[in-house]
Amino acid sequence: MANDNFTPGPEHKFTFGLWTVGNRGRDPFGDAVRPTLRPVEAVQMLAEVGAYGVNFHDNDLVPIDATAHERDRIVSQFRQACEQHGIVVPMATVNLFYDAVFRDGAFTANDKSVRAYALQKTMRAMDLGAEFGAKIFVLWGGREGAETDACRRPDEAVKRLREAINYLCEYSLDQKYDYKFALEAKPNEPRADIYMPTTGAYLGLIATLDHPEMVGVNPEVAHEHMAGLNMTHAVAQAWEAGKLFHIDLNDQVPGRYDQDLRFGSANPKAAFWLVKFLEDVGYAGPRAFDAHAYRTEDYEGVKEFARGCIRTYLILKEKGAQWNADPEIKALLAEIAKTSGDGSGAKFSRQSATELLSSDFDRAGSAARGLKYERLDQLTIDILLGAR
Ligand code: GLT
Ligand code: MN
Ligand code: MN
C-alpha cells in the first residue's frame, strides 16, 4: 500500500456486509461474473483488508431452505472463522426482498400470511444476529413499495409498517436482545416507488412508534443521492435527533440506478463533508461499507475495492483534521463566529418578543457584507486536491 498512515484499526469500526465483498456482479442485463465467496472466505478477506466487523442478512449466512442441522453447522463454522480472524458482528439484518414471496412487499404486503411470514423470518434473523452478539438490527424495506397505487392505499402501508416495527421491538424486549433498530430508506429500486423514500421520512415515522427510543435510522449515501439529496444533511438531522444508529457508506451519481460504488469514488467532496461531520461530532457507531466492486473485477480486484473504501475514508478523515487546523480556515470561521452568537439564540418570552418587535436592524449593512464562502470553499478544494 502506498501510504502506511492510512492503516485501519478496530477503533475505526470499519465493517462490510457479506453481500458486499460477496457480490458476484449480477445485474439486470448479465449474470454473475465472479465465483461464490463463501462467508468464511469473506471473513478472511475482511480481516486481511483491516476491517473490524462483518454484517449479514439471515440468508447471506444460512440459505432460506436450510434444515436446523445445516443451520447449526453453518453458524458454528462462521463463528469459528470470526473468532480466528478477530472479526465481530455489530449488525445483522433480514432479507425481505429476494424470495418471490415478497414480490408485493413484506410487512406491507396485501396478503396477511406474507406479512406474518415476514415477521417470523425477521424474528429468526434477530435470533441469528443475537447469537453473534449483534446489537444493531437494520431493516431495509426494498420491496415495501408499489408499481401502481391501485394496489393499496399508501397510508395503509404506513400503518402496516408501524405495526410490524412495534411487534419486533416487543420481541427484542421479550427476548432481552437489547437491539437498536436502524431503518434504511431508499426512494426506488427494486420497487418503482418505495414507501419510505428518505431518511427524513423514517425520522417522521419513528416518532409515531410505541418504542421510539429503540428505533433510529441507517442512512445510505447512494440512497440519498439517488433522490438528489444531501447525505450529510440527512445524517446531521438524524444525529441531532439522537437517531444515527448506523450508516451505510458507498457512492452514487445522482439520478441513476442504485450503483453502490466504492466509498468516495463518485463525489469525493460530498464524502469529505460526510466524513468530517462524523468525525467532528464523534459518531461512535460502525462505519459500514455497503458497496460492491465493479463487474470487471476478480478476487484481487474485490480486495482492492474493499481496501479502497477504507483508505478513502481515512484519507478524508485526515483531510478533515487538516481543514480544522488550517490557520486561514480558522480565521474565516472566527469571522463567521463574530456575528453568529451562541447556540440557536431565540428563546421566546413575552419580554423578548416585545424587545424583538421594537428592534431596529441594519438590513442593508447585513446584506452588503461579503461572507467569504468562496475563499472558504476554495481552501477546501485546495486541501482535497492536495494543493495545500
Ligand atoms: C441491499 C441494499 C442495501 C441494504 C442491505 C440491507 S441489502 O444490498 O441495496 O442498501 O443496506 O438489507
Ligand atoms: Mn444499504
Ligand atoms: Mn444501496
Side-chain angles (χ1 to χ4, degrees):
M1 194 119 298
N3 186 339
D4 291 328
N5 291 334
F6 304 119
T7 308
E11 71 279 12
H12 300 116
K13 296 199 180 154
F14 291 129
T15 69
F16 288 82
L18 279 181
W19 67 92
T20 64
V21 287
N23 180 282
R24 300 186 59 205
R26 216 176 260 126
D27 71 17
F29 304 96
D31 211 341
V33 293
R34 288 186 282 267
T36 302
L37 187 69
R38 293 184 305 124
V40 294
E41 294 168 328
V43 166
Q44 186 192 331
M45 180 195 279
L46 293 181
E48 254 181 81
V49 302
Y52 157 83
V54 65
N55 313 307
F56 55 74
H57 298 91
D58 49 353
N59 304 138
D60 296 337
L61 192 58
V62 182
I64 196 164
D65 294 323
T67 63
H69 178 73
E70 283 162 352
R71 178 197 189 276
D72 292 347
R73 184 179 48 79
I74 292 167
V75 164
S76 100
Q77 278 176 358
F78 190 69
R79 185 190 311 285
Q80 224 183 327
C82 289
E83 280 169 8
Q84 184 190 336
H85 294 288
I87 292 283
V88 299
V89 179
M91 178 274 261
T93 182
V94 58
N95 187 323
L96 297 177
F97 45 88
Y98 194 82
D99 194 88
V101 72
F102 300 124
R103 71 202 197 285
D104 183 39
F107 301 143
T108 63
N110 282 341
D111 181 339
K112 67 177 186 306
S113 74
V114 173
R115 300 203 296 274
Y117 172 62
L119 275 181
Q120 181 203 65
K121 193 171 189 294
T122 305
M123 287 151 70
R124 289 182 177 163
M126 289 166 63
D127 299 343
L128 183 65
E131 281 187 55
F132 286 92
K135 290 288 174 219
I136 303 166
F137 198 88
V138 163
L139 288 169
W140 173 63
R143 296 276 174 201
E144 315 290 11
E147 284 67 47
T148 168
D149 288 328
C151 69
R152 77 195 125 248
R153 262 177 48 172
D155 58 335
E156 183 60 28
V158 175
K159 287 189 173 65
R160 289 176 186 167
L161 201 51
R162 180 185 299 115
E163 225 169 66
I165 299 168
N166 284 341
Y167 194 98
L168 296 168
C169 285
E170 295 297 347
Y171 183 66
S172 179
L173 290 170
D174 194 48
Q175 298 294 312
K176 306 204 168 25
Y177 283 158
D178 201 22
Y179 272 123
K180 294 275 190 196
F181 292 90
L183 310 179
E184 179 177 345
K186 188 175 180 183
N188 58 273
E189 206 185 347
R191 298 311 291 269
D193 286 291
I194 296 177
Y195 290 126
M196 291 288 149
T198 62
T199 296
Y202 265 135
L203 288 171
L205 178 75
I206 289 168
T208 72
L209 298 173
D210 288 349
H211 290 285
E213 73 287 354
M214 293 175 67
V215 187
V217 290
N218 177 35
E220 172 171 318
V221 178
H223 297 178
E224 301 297 319
H225 285 189
M226 280 174 80
L229 300 176
N230 183 319
M231 169 69 169
T232 304
H233 292 191
V235 164
Q237 191 189 352
W239 172 262
E240 201 274 336
K243 291 296 177 196
L244 189 65
F245 288 3
H246 197 263
I247 189 163
D248 274 359
L249 302 171
N250 56 8
D251 214 345
Q252 166 84 32
V253 177
R256 303 213 178 154
Y257 67 94
D258 184 19
Q259 295 180 304
D260 287 339
L261 296 167
R262 192 177 75 256
F263 178 59
S265 62
N267 307 279
K269 189 181 178 190
F272 168 73
W273 294 123
L274 178 60
V275 169
K276 184 169 138 48
F277 180 85
L278 295 173
E279 298 299 325
D280 283 353
V281 300
Y283 168 75
R287 282 135 177 91
F289 295 110
D290 185 9
H292 47 74
Y294 303 149
R295 229 172 149 253
T296 48
E297 303 309 296
D298 61 3
Y299 181 88
E300 285 306 317
V302 173
K303 251 169 59 181
E304 200 51 48
F305 145 82
R307 285 201 169 106
C309 287
I310 290 176
R311 186 171 169 80
T312 299
Y313 188 100
L314 291 174
I315 293 171
L316 293 175
K317 180 178 168 181
E318 193 181 276
K319 297 277 182 194
Q322 190 189 341
W323 196 97
N324 288 339
D326 188 289
E328 192 176 344
I329 291 178
K330 277 164 99 172
L332 287 168
L333 295 181
E335 232 177 285
I336 294 174
K338 269 192 221 153
T339 53
S340 68
D342 298 330
S344 57
K347 178 118 183 72
F348 182 85
S349 67
R350 184 153 307 155
Q351 194 197 337
S352 79
T354 310
E355 280 168 19
L356 185 56
L357 284 168
S358 60
S359 297
D360 283 325
F361 291 97
D362 177 15
R363 221 171 79 233
S366 288
R369 201 162 31 86
L371 297 184
K372 303 190 181 147
Y373 296 169
E374 280 287 2
R375 180 68 189 149
L376 200 48
D377 190 74
Q378 185 58 43
L379 290 168
T380 306
I381 294 291
D382 275 19
I383 287 176
L384 283 181
L385 297 185
R388 199 171 166 84

